[in-house]
């Protein structure tokens, strides 16, 4: 299982938090981008994000919580991210968005909110590289893990096996050293934010998640 660290809630500035993450053996920096439309809060200007992350060393796992993800892909491609993930609920142009991300040779993720029927993912599962299951309502760090996510990742894993598909399964929201045990058998990547970044010893927390 890989660990992707979200710097959304942190004791330090974004710059310092990213430096701290870079000094661990995390697998990715999870970049949460919120537009103040798809989710209530806005937390970025695209130029600032490009500046903030342009010298990154760890691979980037970008999570777009925005309406109209097509608008941001050209700029985000400059960061050479490993994944760009957008929400199933955010756009009607799902296939067009998947194709645009792929044209840059970036892996595509599709994310689903806790209340959305998992069956809505099915038409896209053979053309995405990753499914990001939200285990909290998107929009803020530090929320409580929703237990109904346990079954959702299990369904996605079984479906992948039965249909010979290759997408990775990622979970995001409320992941700590306890909640991770509920899903670890069925996921490939765990996002964790406040559990790591609201502490002063990032590597220790990551080690606990990997246990
Ligand atoms: C929530 C974000 C998450 C969040 C994770 O909208 O997508 O990535 O920052 O933070 P924790 O681990 O604190 O739930
Ligand atoms: Zn996220």
């Amino acid at each position: 299982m890989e660990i992707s660290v979200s710097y959304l809630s942190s004791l330090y500035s974004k710059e310092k938090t990213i430096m701290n993450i870079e000094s661990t053996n995390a697998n990715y920096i999870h970049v949460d981008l919120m537009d103040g439309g798809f989710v209530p809060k806005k937390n970025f200007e695209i130029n600032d994000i490009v500046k903030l992350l342009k010298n990154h060393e760890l691979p980037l796992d970008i999570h777009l919580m925005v309406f109209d993800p097509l608008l941001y892909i050209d700029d985000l491609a400059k960061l050479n991210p490993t994944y760009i993930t957008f929400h199933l609920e955010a756009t009607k142009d799902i296939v067009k968005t998947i194709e645009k991300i792929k044209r840059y040779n970036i892996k595509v993720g599709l994310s689903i909110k806790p209340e959305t029927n998992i069956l809505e993912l099915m038409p896209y599962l053979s053309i995405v590289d990753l499914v990001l299951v939200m285990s909290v309502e998107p929009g803020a760090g530090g929320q409580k893990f929703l237990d109904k996510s346990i079954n959702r990742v299990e369904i996605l894993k079984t479906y992948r096996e039965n249909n010979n598909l290759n997408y990775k399964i990622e979970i995001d929201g409320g992941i700590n050293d306890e909640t991770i045990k509920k899903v670890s058998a069925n996921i490939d990547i765990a996002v964790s934010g406040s559990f790591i970044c609201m502490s002063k010893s990032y590597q220790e927390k990551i080690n606990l998640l990997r246990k």
Side-chain angles (χ1 to χ4, degrees), residues 6 8-9 30 32 34 63 65 134 136-143 172-175 191-195:
S6 159
L8 196 58
S9 323
H30 182 83
D32 284 307
M34 314 197 285
H63 178 194
M65 289 170 272
M134 287 306 300
V136 299
E137 205 47 54
Q143 303 181 73
D172 182 9
I175 293 294
V191 178
S192 184
S194 48
F195 177 66

Side-chain angles (χ1 to χ4, degrees), residues 145-181:
F145 177 85
L146 296 170
D147 274 335
K148 68 172 171 190
S149 326
I150 301 170
N151 188 240
R152 288 159 76 81
V153 290
E154 207 179 317
I155 293 170
L156 284 165
K157 190 179 179 197
T158 307
Y159 186 87
R160 179 174 69 187
E161 279 166 13
N162 291 346
N163 293 279
N164 254 320
L165 295 172
N166 290 311
Y167 54 84
K168 303 275 187 217
I169 302 170
E170 180 174 38
I171 195 143
D172 182 9
I175 293 294
N176 56 40
D177 54 343
E178 289 301 321
T179 53
I180 200 163
K181 292 180 198 148

Side-chain angles (χ1 to χ4, degrees), residues 111-143:
S111 183
I112 181 162
K113 298 210 274 185
E115 295 300 326
T116 306
N117 190 328
I118 199 102
L119 294 178
E120 289 187 33
L121 283 170
M122 300 305 170
Y124 311 105
L125 290 177
S126 62
I127 54 171
V128 297
D129 302 290
L130 173 116
V131 178
L132 173 53
V133 176
M134 287 306 300
S135 41
V136 299
E137 205 47 54
Q143 303 181 73

Side-chain angles (χ1 to χ4, degrees), residues 4-18 20-21 29-34 41 43 65 136-144 172-175 191-200 202 205:
S4 187
V5 183
S6 159
Y7 59 86
L8 196 58
S9 323
S10 171
L11 294 177
Y12 309 108
S13 68
K14 280 184 198 158
E15 290 76 6
K16 171 125 173 65
T17 305
I18 289 164
N20 287 351
I21 300 170
I29 301 174
H30 182 83
V31 181
D32 284 307
L33 301 182
M34 314 197 285
K41 212 179 131 195
N43 77 337
M65 289 170 272
V136 299
E137 205 47 54
Q143 303 181 73
K144 191 171 173 292
D172 182 9
I175 293 294
V191 178
S192 184
S194 48
F195 177 66
I196 298 168
C197 298
M198 294 301 282
S199 83
K200 290 189 172 164
Y202 290 19
K205 298 288 184 176

Side-chain angles (χ1 to χ4, degrees), residues 69-130:
L70 277 173
L71 289 180
Y72 304 94
I73 294 164
D74 293 324
D75 283 313
L76 293 174
K78 295 177 198 156
L79 291 170
N80 195 23
T82 305
Y83 290 103
I84 296 181
T85 295
F86 66 98
H87 269 266
L88 179 67
E89 305 87 355
T91 173
K92 291 213 160 37
D93 293 327
I94 295 182
V95 173
K96 204 167 153 193
T97 307
I98 292 172
E99 284 169 353
K100 174 142 190 179
I101 297 171
K102 283 190 174 172
R103 245 178 273 133
Y104 279 107
N105 259 326
I106 297 166
K107 291 181 182 154
V108 186
L110 194 56
S111 183
I112 181 162
K113 298 210 274 185
E115 295 300 326
T116 306
N117 190 328
I118 199 102
L119 294 178
E120 289 187 33
L121 283 170
M122 300 305 170
Y124 311 105
L125 290 177
S126 62
I127 54 171
V128 297
D129 302 290
L130 173 116

